[in-house]
Amino acid sequence: MFFGLYGYVPVAFCPDVSPTSMAGILRGMNMASGRIGIRLAACLLNVSEGRRKDVVEKIAKAAVCKDKGQECLQATVLNIFSDYEYNRSVITIAAPIDRLDIAECLAHCVPGCSIFLFGHADLPKKQSLVQRRKQMGWFNKGASKAAHIIPDVGLAPTSRYGLTGVGASPYVMNCNVTVDTQDLAMAKKIAQFIRGSSVEGLKGVQSMAFPHKGQIEIACNVESFDEHDNQLATGEELGYVSYSILGRTYYYVSPQLIEASIQKLARSHEVSTVGTALVGFTPEECRRCAVYALTNGIGEFWRARGGIFM
């Protein structure tokens, strides 16, 4: 079974966290498995640090090393993407997995951490990441509210450990489209229109608009969905990609359709798009790279691919 585990760790909110402590967080992915490929988990680890390369690399290395620095090849780091302006990094980790109580495992490994759950980890409600973010005041600038948050696992948030989101879902990828404008209000309307929650939106897409390098970036989380949970209209499947896991079919909207949809909406406002970036991998690419890296014992696969890149 191949599914996605999507985690958030706000490093900037907890500057005292050491690489050793982060190793405890990341070892949640290092689950033992007798054979590669039976059940794989891909973790998109988002950390609030994109300017200190050494810190980001230490966090990534903690995913494939034990406490004393010995390499543990039960996991592989497939990719690291860092954004200097956002001051964030996305680390793609893959590993065999045979247990699902990862949030509880993290809380045990790193006493003091605070975790909220979303997706299939948030049973029985299965609330989305967007819903949980709003509940937790994730984007509120006032850090004073953090002390009043009641986490699902662990203790109330502190300045050292911050707040971590842990969720599970079918595979999630990130697709970001840059619009050549500084009109944030207009870009937010485009982001709202393409969301899967909108009437004419793209299924499985969660999107937000942010200022980025003098322009606006429309950042999209692209979730895979089961054909039984979210039926496609006749002809609509042309813009979606399908893949199968143990006989079940999943779909995700193609980056090309996301780009074309945003281009069309941008043109209606007399602006253009200037680039599209896929952060990490498509589901098929991720599985192929993970199986290759784990089979060949390549813990730092991202280095073999040429370093930190999108």
Side-chain angles (χ1 to χ4, degrees):
M1 178 67 174
F2 187 75
F3 66 100
L5 175 73
Y6 200 31
Y8 284 86
V9 180
V11 174
F13 186 45
C14 43
D16 294 333
V17 173
S18 67
T20 301
S21 297
M22 288 304 299
I25 292 176
L26 293 172
R27 272 199 310 278
M29 295 305 302
N30 290 353
M31 307 301 178
S33 179
R35 288 181 295 164
I36 294 171
I38 294 178
R39 175 178 280 176
L40 292 174
C43 174
L44 298 181
L45 180 67
N46 287 247
V47 296
S48 299
E49 177 56 66
R51 297 169 184 167
R52 293 178 293 175
K53 180 180 177 181
D54 60 322
V55 172
V56 176
E57 291 190 7
K58 285 179 181 178
I59 293 171
K61 194 167 185 66
V64 294
C65 290
K66 298 179 180 178
D67 284 336
K68 295 182 180 180
Q70 298 174 327
E71 195 164 280
C72 177
L73 295 179
Q74 293 176 341
T76 180
V77 177
L78 298 178
N79 187 54
I80 300 175
F81 162 67
S82 293
D83 189 295
Y84 187 89
E85 184 168 347
Y86 282 169
N87 194 27
R88 72 171 182 113
S89 296
V90 181
I91 304 171
T92 304
I93 307 163
I97 187 170
D98 63 3
R99 57 186 295 181
L100 302 178
D101 56 339
I102 292 177
E104 287 80 359
C105 178
L106 303 190
H108 177 73
C109 291
V110 189
C113 67
S114 306
I115 295 171
F116 73 89
L117 305 174
F118 62 90
H120 288 267
D122 177 41
L123 297 174
K125 296 181 179 179
K126 297 183 182 180
Q127 297 174 96
S128 69
L129 175 59
V130 172
Q131 290 174 308
R132 297 314 314 271
R133 277 173 167 172
K134 289 180 179 178
Q135 292 173 4
M136 297 292 170
W138 187 262
F139 292 107
N140 291 343
K141 294 182 180 179
S144 60
K145 288 189 63 177
H148 303 291
I149 292 175
I150 300 176
D152 297 315
V153 180
L155 305 176
T158 64
S159 59
R160 177 175 183 181
Y161 291 99
L163 184 62
T164 300
V166 175
S169 71
Y171 192 84
V172 178
M173 68 179 185
N174 301 118
C175 181
N176 302 334
V177 180
T178 301
V179 181
D180 190 16
T181 182
Q182 294 183 356
D183 187 343
L184 183 58
M186 180 266 288
K188 284 183 176 180
K189 290 180 181 179
I190 294 176
Q192 181 179 12
F193 190 88
I194 67 170
R195 287 175 193 151
S197 57
S198 298
V199 176
E200 298 184 36
L202 303 174
K203 292 178 175 63
V205 171
Q206 300 171 351
S207 57
M208 300 182 72
F210 301 96
H212 191 245
K213 297 181 179 179
Q215 296 167 321
I216 303 294
E217 185 174 79
I218 299 178
C220 303
N221 285 346
V222 184
E223 294 184 334
S224 298
F225 55 88
D226 190 305
E227 61 177 340
H228 299 295
D229 295 334
N230 204 336
Q231 292 285 349
L232 295 173
T234 302
E236 193 176 28
E237 66 274 7
L238 292 176
Y240 290 76
V241 182
S242 65
Y243 62 97
S244 297
I245 302 174
L246 298 178
R248 295 185 67 178
T249 301
Y250 293 86
Y251 294 88
Y252 66 93
V253 61
S254 68
Q256 292 80 10
L257 179 56
I258 294 173
E259 181 179 39
S261 299
I262 293 176
Q263 282 179 340
K264 181 179 179 180
L265 292 166
R267 282 198 300 267
S268 69
H269 292 278
E270 299 183 343
V271 298
S272 60
T273 59
V274 293
T276 299
L278 183 66
V279 181
F281 307 87
T282 64
E284 299 89 346
E285 290 171 332
C286 186
R287 185 183 187 281
R288 184 171 62 251
C289 291
V291 170
Y292 177 84
L294 293 168
T295 301
N296 291 279
I298 306 172
E300 294 185 303
F301 184 76
W302 67 275
R303 290 190 186 276
R305 300 187 75 215
I308 295 180
F309 66 99
M310 181 178 290

